[in-house]
């Protein structure tokens, strides 16, 4: 999924050039299209609907689900088992395959609902201006959204949802909510572009154009009209959808790991079963009667409980996270991928910051801190809010008032009653900001000033963009403000803005009181008071969460559409070194290989359009990093799907939440860190199962092959192999409920087939040595028995030894290098005890004879105890020499 380049191109086409040039290019005008022309364009461009494909049904998906190698090999083994009448093995495998297929089908079916959720963001009708004929007057009417075409003139009013991408032709105090696209909660002011060529702004960032409105956004206040520049698949919102023939989502780390392990097992299985048949035929003259034994050996090599153990371990971790309502894991394998994350990409707003401004400084004309500047700014903010009847309170004014109230409270505590008192001024009039006007003025009467006396005075308090305010100032600090002084102050405002601050200049003027209304013409001959600067408020837990993530080996990268200075400042405040900030324009100039190298060493990416975020995420993945992305707007959808783990807060846009693998109760990195720790612990349990199961299975298979070549009879009957495997499987399920050691979550954990193969090879050979030593013990203890009785005793002896060594392996290899140092959890202790009891008592029980097993002489148990002690010491010594891996 990617932000479609053609959508951005269409939007930028509408941004470039004058209004007249855009209308000429579209073959339209302010009076709208002729109906006949609109119908022709509808045929040529298609309906204004989202592109997409019909999702497959649940049964169709289920029929395709056994496509991963592991499920396929289990299915083949089950069919072969049924063919040789090994019905017990066939039934067990059938159940495991069914569980695996249901889990996979359900997850995919849920993920495909994201496109349908996006369609719900659109209106069904909108108001359009068209003409019946070229000479007829324009008429306005409601039209279904899917009938809009490029060139249509759309009328906007409060509450309307924008039906397509528009170039604005007229606005009246128009503000638009773009949270659907950007995730930003504050409304955005929209205005008509100045009619000069090339006024399109930054072509790389269509969302930054104030004279464009985008499909899916909604009108908060004001009114306007605009010409449609893009519909259907060409809109910016549609560009977030996956397209037929587009870039498919790559397999997740979990899929790659399981597939790698499965193919390793397939190679062993394809090699082992024929070896058993060939060796038996050549050396012992046996034919197809050894086929059930060969199938049993292949099944014994396969960790058939892997789907169940994986599901149980991941489901347990997901349930613990969901218990507090903080984290919902929508796709179970995503919990493993969370544990493997070593790079986390986040947006700035709402994640590292609270999506609200706070006062950073107030300084006078001399550059020194001055609380009087904040006081006058608060006077302006208070009466602008009270007298202007704004549809939405300005967030900057509210931040200034909060800071002034805090300053007044601090002043009261130190007995300075006159400091910071701004509420005593009486409001007279207000001139708010508006389209094309970047300053506001509050006219107030100072406290104690007579209302009707001839000497009554009014004070004009002006606050706004530094360049606009400075142009109206004549004095600063009691001295004349010449061109040099104005340039010096403008340069200081630029320095503050470069640091990522939102800078406002404050000025005032005093004039005789009057009854007639004030106008912008009165905003002149002002005294410059100073600057107030605001920054985004850091999230309370962000600094601590970033430090914890760093300790856990997760590198955080910030991908934002904000100004580079703003992003860098927030990072510095949170203790995250921003380094060199890379912008979207620089990303466009790099190929994928260059971007991968740059992304590895860059912390902050600013001025990012949606496709920039997705490219950075893909570049990090291509460089070998397991990458997570936390986003909540449609502009984050492409990056969310491109990441190994897509993460969305619960209040994010529906389509992003549906496409995400993990949903957070809020944009809180602390909760995400807990999810990462839970993922690493669950993966540690899965790795422990694989280490134990495969080491034991490989050792047993090697021993079976050697015994098959040395013995005149089968070393273990197929029924005995099945019972042994069932005992192993039941006991190993307890590994899903293990408690890994305290250091298991300190670094990313990934299931790595090569590391697992090295581990299994070493410990499998050690297990085979223990089995071969058991053969010697059995030969010594059973030399006085007859042939038939000796075979049954041999089967019983090896069966007992296998279960006891399995219990020992579970205790020593269960959760990493220092597993034996801690207390064994209840499920592990119960499972290993049950294995030992079954191994010792089953040959002595009434079930022994039906399984062709007889009681063993006491000498065997004494010699077996010696073998187990030596094996345990060797196992512990070998485990101690193993490096503590970051993944198995």
């Amino acid at each position: 999924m990617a932000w479609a380049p053609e959508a951005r191109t269409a939007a930028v086409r509408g941004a470039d050039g004058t209004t007249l040039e855009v209308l000429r290019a579209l073959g339209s005008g302010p009076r709208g299209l002729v109906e006949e022309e609109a119908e022709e364009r509808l045929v040529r461009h298609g309906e204004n609907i989202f592109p997409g494909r019909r999702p497959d049904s649940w049964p169709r998906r289920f029929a395709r689900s056994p496509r991963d190698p592991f499920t396929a090999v289990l299915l083949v083994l089950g069919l072969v088992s049924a063919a040789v009448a090994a019905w017990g093995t066939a039934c067990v495998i059938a159940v495991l395959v069914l569980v695996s297929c249901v889990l996979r089908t359900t997850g995919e079916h849920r993920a495909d609902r994201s496109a349908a959720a996006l369609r719900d963001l659109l209106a069904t009708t909108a108001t359009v201006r068209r003409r019946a004929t070229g000479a007829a007057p324009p008429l306005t009417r409601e039209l279904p959204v899917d009938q809009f075409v490029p060139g249509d003139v759309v009328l906007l009013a409060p509450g309307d949802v924008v039906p397509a991408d528009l170039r604005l032709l007229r606005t009246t105090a128009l503000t638009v909510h773009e949270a659907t696209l950007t995730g930003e909660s504050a409304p955005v002011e929209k205005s008509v572009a100045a009619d000069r060529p090339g006024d399109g702004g930054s072509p790389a960032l269509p969302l930054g154009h104030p004279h464009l409105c985008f499909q899916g956004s909604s009108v908060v206040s004001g009114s306007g009209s605009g010409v449609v520049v893009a519909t259907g698949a060409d809109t910016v919102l549609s560009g977030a959808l996956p397209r037929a023939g587009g870039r498919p989502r790559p397999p997740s780390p979990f899929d790659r790991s399981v597939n790698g392990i499965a193919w390793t097992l397939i190679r062993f299985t394809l090699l082992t079963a024929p070896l058993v048949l060939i060796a038996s035929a050549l050396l012992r003259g046996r034919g197809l009667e050894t086929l059930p034994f060969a199938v049993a050996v292949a099944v014994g090599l396969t960790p058939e409980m892997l789907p169940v153990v994986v599901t149980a371990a991941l489901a347990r971790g997901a349930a613990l996270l969901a218990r507090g309502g903080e984290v919902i894991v929508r796709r179970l394998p995503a919990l493993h991928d969370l544990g493997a994350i070593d790079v986390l990409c986040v947006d700035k707003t709402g994640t590292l910051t609270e999506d609200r401004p706070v006062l950073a400084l107030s300084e006078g004309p001399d550059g020194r801190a001055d609380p009087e500047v904040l006081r006058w700014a608060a006077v302006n903010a208070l009466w602008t809010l009270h007298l202007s009847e704004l549809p939405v309170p300005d967030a900057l004014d509210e931040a200034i008032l909060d800071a002034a109230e805090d300053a007044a409270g601090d002043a009261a505590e130190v007995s300075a009653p006159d400091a910071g008192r701004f509420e005593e001024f009486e409001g007279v009039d207000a001139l708010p900001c508006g389209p094309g006007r970047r300053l506001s003025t509050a006219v107030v009467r100072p406290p104690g000033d007579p209302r009707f006396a001839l000497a009554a005075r009014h004070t004009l308090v002006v606050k706004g963009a530094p360049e606009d305010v400075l142009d109206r100032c004549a004095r600063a600090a009691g001295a004349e403000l010449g061109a040099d002084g104005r340039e010096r102050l403008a340069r200081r405002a630029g320095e503050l803005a470069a640091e990522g601050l939102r800078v406002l200049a404050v000025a005032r003027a005093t004039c005789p009181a009057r009854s007639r209304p004030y106008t912008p013409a009165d905003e002149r001959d002002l005294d410059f008071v100073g600057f107030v600067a605001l920054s985004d408020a850091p999230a309370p837990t962000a600094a601590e969460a970033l430090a914890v993530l760093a300790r856990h080996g997760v590198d955080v990268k910030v991908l934002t559409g904000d100004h580079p200075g703003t992003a860098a400042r927030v990072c510095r405040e949170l203790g995250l070194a921003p380094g060199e900030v890379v912008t979207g324009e620089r990303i466009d100039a790099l190929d994928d290989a260059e971007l991968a190298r740059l992304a590895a060493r860059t912390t902050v990416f600013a001025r990012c359009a949606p496709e920039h975020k997705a490219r950075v995420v893909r570049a990090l993945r291509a460089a070998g990093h397991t990458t997570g992305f936390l986003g909540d707007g449609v502009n984050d959808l492409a990056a969310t799907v491109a990441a190994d783990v897509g993460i969305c807060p619960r209040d994010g846009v529906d389509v992003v939440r549906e496409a995400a693998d993990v949903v957070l109760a809020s944009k809180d990195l602390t909760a995400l860190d807990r999810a990462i720790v839970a993922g690493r612990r669950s993966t540690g349990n899965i790795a422990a199962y694989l280490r134990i199961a495969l080491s034991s299975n490989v050792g047993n298979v090697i021993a079976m092959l050697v015994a098959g070549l040395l013995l005149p009879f089968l070393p273990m009957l197929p029924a005995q192999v099945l019972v042994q495997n069932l005992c192993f499987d039941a006991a190993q399920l307890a590994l899903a409920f293990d408690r890994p050691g305290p250091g298991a979550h300190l670094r990313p954990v990934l299931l790595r087939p090569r590391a697992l193969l090295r581990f299994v090879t070493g410990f499998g050979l050690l297990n085979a040595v223990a089995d071969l030593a058991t053969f010697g013990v059995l030969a010594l203890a059973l030399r006085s028995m007859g042939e038939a009785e000796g075979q049954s005793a041999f089967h019983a002896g090896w069966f007992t030894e296998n279960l006891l060594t399995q219990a020992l392996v579970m205790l020593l290899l269960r959760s990493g290098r220092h597993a034996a140092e801690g207390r064994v959890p209840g499920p592990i202790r119960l499972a290993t005890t049950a294995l030992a009891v079954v191994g010792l008592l089953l040959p002595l029980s009434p079930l022994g004879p039906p399984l062709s097993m007889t009681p063993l002489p006491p000498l065997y148990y004494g010699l077996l105890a010696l073998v187990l002690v030596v094996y345990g010491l060797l196992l512990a010594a070998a485990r101690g020499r193993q490096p503590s891996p970051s993944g198995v």
Side-chain angles (χ1 to χ4, degrees):
M1 182 182 296
W3 191 277
E6 61 270 23
R8 186 181 69 177
T9 302
V12 172
R13 268 201 310 271
D16 287 339
T18 66
T19 302
L20 181 59
E21 290 171 344
V22 172
L23 288 173
R24 283 178 176 173
L26 292 169
S28 183
R31 298 195 305 159
L33 295 174
V34 177
E35 290 287 355
E36 183 179 356
E37 172 66 17
E39 292 176 2
E40 292 178 0
R41 294 189 182 192
L42 184 62
V43 174
R44 187 165 65 249
H45 292 277
E47 293 186 336
N48 181 32
I49 58 176
F50 282 116
R53 59 181 176 82
R54 185 181 182 86
D56 291 332
S57 64
W58 199 96
R60 182 185 292 272
R61 289 187 177 278
F62 182 81
R64 286 205 321 263
S65 58
R67 64 186 181 274
D68 68 273
F70 185 76
T71 305
V73 73
L74 280 180
L75 187 59
V76 170
L77 288 175
L79 294 175
V80 173
S81 300
V84 297
W87 300 112
T89 302
C91 291
V92 171
I93 291 177
V95 171
L96 298 177
V97 169
L98 179 64
V99 170
S100 175
C101 293
V102 168
L103 291 175
R104 178 182 291 273
T105 302
T106 302
E108 290 184 352
H109 187 69
R110 184 188 300 117
D112 253 4
R113 295 188 310 210
S114 59
L118 188 53
R119 291 176 173 83
D120 295 338
L121 298 173
L122 299 182
T124 55
T125 62
T127 304
V128 67
R129 180 184 293 158
R130 285 184 180 175
R131 294 170 290 157
T133 63
L139 300 175
T140 60
R141 62 188 179 92
E142 289 290 314
L143 188 70
V145 166
D146 59 9
Q147 300 300 302
F148 279 72
V149 296
D152 266 330
V153 175
V154 178
L155 306 184
L156 301 175
D160 287 348
V161 176
V162 179
D165 291 351
L166 309 178
R167 166 72 179 252
L168 292 173
L169 304 176
R170 177 192 61 79
T171 62
T172 303
L174 181 64
T175 60
V176 174
H177 203 288
E178 293 183 340
T180 297
L181 294 158
T182 66
E184 302 286 346
S185 60
V188 179
E189 293 183 2
K190 295 292 182 179
S191 59
V192 178
D195 272 345
R196 58 179 183 271
D199 194 55
S202 171
L205 296 168
L207 293 176
H209 294 295
H211 50 282
L212 294 179
C213 282
F214 299 97
Q215 185 182 53
S217 55
S218 58
V219 179
V220 176
S221 62
S223 60
S225 64
V227 60
V228 174
V229 297
T231 61
D234 292 333
T235 63
V236 170
L237 184 61
S238 274
L241 274 178
R243 299 175 182 277
R247 185 193 303 267
R249 182 169 185 171
S252 70
F254 179 82
D255 294 331
R256 294 195 299 270
S257 298
V258 171
N259 287 349
I261 293 169
W263 279 113
T264 301
L265 294 175
I266 288 172
R267 295 185 185 100
F268 271 107
T269 302
L270 293 178
L271 179 64
T272 302
L275 277 179
V276 173
L277 292 173
I278 293 172
S280 297
L282 293 179
L283 298 180
R284 294 295 175 185
R286 304 188 188 109
L288 291 178
E289 67 268 17
T290 60
L291 183 59
F293 176 71
V295 172
V297 170
V299 172
L301 182 63
T302 305
E304 62 270 19
M305 283 294 289
L306 181 59
V308 179
V309 170
V310 167
T311 302
L314 296 180
R316 179 172 179 265
L320 291 175
L321 290 172
R323 188 173 298 171
E326 294 182 344
V327 181
I328 303 298
V329 179
R330 300 182 63 250
R331 183 177 62 88
L332 282 183
L335 191 58
H336 162 272
D337 299 342
L338 272 175
I341 282 178
D342 60 350
V343 174
L344 175 64
C345 299
V346 301
D347 193 7
K348 175 185 70 66
T349 305
T351 303
L352 303 181
T353 64
E354 290 189 316
D355 198 14
R356 67 178 181 88
V358 295
L359 184 75
L361 60 87
S362 64
E363 64 177 41
D366 57 359
R368 298 179 181 178
D370 187 353
E372 277 295 295
V373 181
L374 175 61
R375 176 175 179 248
W376 286 111
V379 171
N380 171 281
L382 177 67
W383 291 108
T384 299
L385 288 174
H386 281 192
L387 298 177
S388 298
E389 298 182 356
L390 299 174
V392 180
D394 187 274
L396 299 179
D397 285 342
E398 292 184 328
I400 288 172
L401 290 174
D402 290 341
E405 290 174 358
D406 293 341
D410 295 340
E413 291 180 4
V414 296
S415 302
D418 294 330
R421 300 298 298 274
F422 62 91
E423 301 95 335
E424 296 180 357
F425 288 87
E426 181 181 352
V428 176
D429 198 0
L431 303 174
C433 296
R437 174 178 164 81
R438 301 190 300 166
L439 52 80
S440 64
T441 297
V443 182
V444 297
R445 182 180 294 109
D449 197 60
R451 183 184 296 268
F452 300 109
L454 294 177
R457 311 286 287 176
H458 286 169
T459 300
L460 281 73
V461 186
V462 181
K463 169 174 63 63
E467 53 270 31
D468 291 5
V469 174
L470 288 173
D471 285 344
R472 293 164 171 78
C473 290
R475 291 169 299 279
E480 292 295 322
L481 184 65
D484 292 343
R486 193 172 286 108
E487 182 180 353
R488 175 180 60 82
L489 292 173
R491 190 165 54 250
R492 175 56 179 164
E495 292 172 355
L496 294 174
E499 295 177 7
L501 297 173
R502 176 71 181 271
V503 185
L504 300 173
V506 183
R508 62 180 178 174
T510 302
C511 63
R514 69 185 189 209
S515 58
R516 65 179 177 84
Y518 285 85
T519 68
D522 297 311
E523 299 166 339
R524 56 185 174 82
D525 199 28
L526 304 176
D527 291 324
F528 179 75
V529 177
F531 295 116
V532 292
L534 300 100
S535 63
D536 291 337
T541 61
E544 178 185 357
L546 289 175
V548 173
L549 286 170
R551 289 198 299 271
H552 288 170
V554 179
D555 187 14
V556 176
K557 297 185 182 295
V558 180
L559 279 60
T560 178
D562 281 348
H563 186 280
T566 302
R569 181 185 182 87
V570 169
C571 290
R572 284 192 295 267
E573 290 178 353
L574 296 175
L576 186 65
E580 179 188 4
V581 179
V582 174
T583 62
E585 291 182 355
R586 185 175 176 186
I587 293 174
D588 285 333
L590 301 174
D591 60 29
D592 291 344
E594 293 170 334
L595 180 58
R597 290 191 293 270
L598 179 65
R601 63 177 187 269
T602 301
T603 300
V604 180
F605 297 85
R607 295 296 192 202
C608 286
E611 71 269 24
H612 296 140
K613 297 181 180 181
R615 279 198 68 199
V616 170
V617 170
R618 288 195 295 267
L620 290 167
R621 294 190 67 183
H625 295 285
T626 304
T627 306
F629 183 85
L630 172 59
D632 63 353
V634 172
N635 62 322
D636 297 321
L637 182 57
T640 299
V641 177
D644 290 305
V645 185
I647 308 163
C648 179
R650 186 169 55 193
D651 56 357
V653 176
D654 288 348
V655 60
V656 183
R657 190 172 62 248
E658 287 295 321
D661 304 305
V662 177
V663 178
L664 305 179
S666 62
K667 274 190 172 181
D668 186 355
L669 292 179
T670 303
L672 183 57
D673 176 72
R674 286 192 287 271
I676 290 174
V677 170
R680 292 178 180 180
R681 288 175 173 168
S682 297
T683 303
N685 289 344
I686 296 170
Y689 164 75
L690 286 170
R691 286 196 301 267
I692 292 168
L694 292 179
S695 297
S696 299
N697 292 356
V698 168
N700 288 339
V701 167
I702 294 174
M704 284 184 181
L705 290 175
V706 173
L709 298 178
L710 297 178
L711 298 175
F713 54 86
L714 292 177
M716 190 173 290
L717 300 178
Q720 295 166 353
V721 174
L722 177 60
V723 172
Q724 176 183 274
N725 286 342
L726 290 176
C727 293
F728 286 173
D729 293 342
Q732 289 164 353
L733 185 59
L735 293 169
F737 303 93
D738 194 10
R739 291 195 302 269
H745 63 277
L746 296 181
R747 60 195 178 280
V749 179
L750 187 65
L751 298 174
R752 303 183 189 276
R754 290 186 179 179
L756 179 64
L757 181 60
R758 289 194 299 269
F759 187 99
V760 167
T761 300
F763 284 90
L765 290 174
L766 185 58
N767 191 20
V769 169
D771 286 342
L772 294 175
T774 303
F775 294 168
V777 168
L778 286 169
L780 181 62
L782 306 179
R783 63 181 183 273
S784 60
M785 291 186 177
E787 181 178 350
E789 187 181 5
Q791 289 186 19
S792 297
F794 184 94
H795 294 156
W798 197 17
F799 181 89
T800 299
E801 184 266 349
N802 274 338
L803 266 61
L804 292 177
T805 53
Q806 177 73 11
L808 194 60
V809 169
M810 286 184 63
L811 288 175
L812 295 180
L813 301 186
R814 62 180 177 86
S815 58
R817 181 174 182 176
H818 303 292
E821 298 175 5
R823 186 173 66 88
V824 179
I828 302 293
R829 189 166 57 249
L830 180 61
T832 53
T833 301
L835 269 181
V837 170
V838 171
L840 291 171
L841 297 184
L842 185 61
L844 307 176
S845 71
L847 295 176
L851 291 174
S852 301
M853 292 190 288
T854 60
L856 294 158
L859 176 62
Y860 168 75
Y861 293 104
L863 295 175
L864 178 61
L866 179 61
V867 171
L868 291 176
V869 170
V870 174
Y871 175 62
L873 293 175
L874 293 175
L875 195 65
R879 189 64 186 100
R881 287 179 172 272
Q882 284 282 329
S884 187
S886 62
V888 174

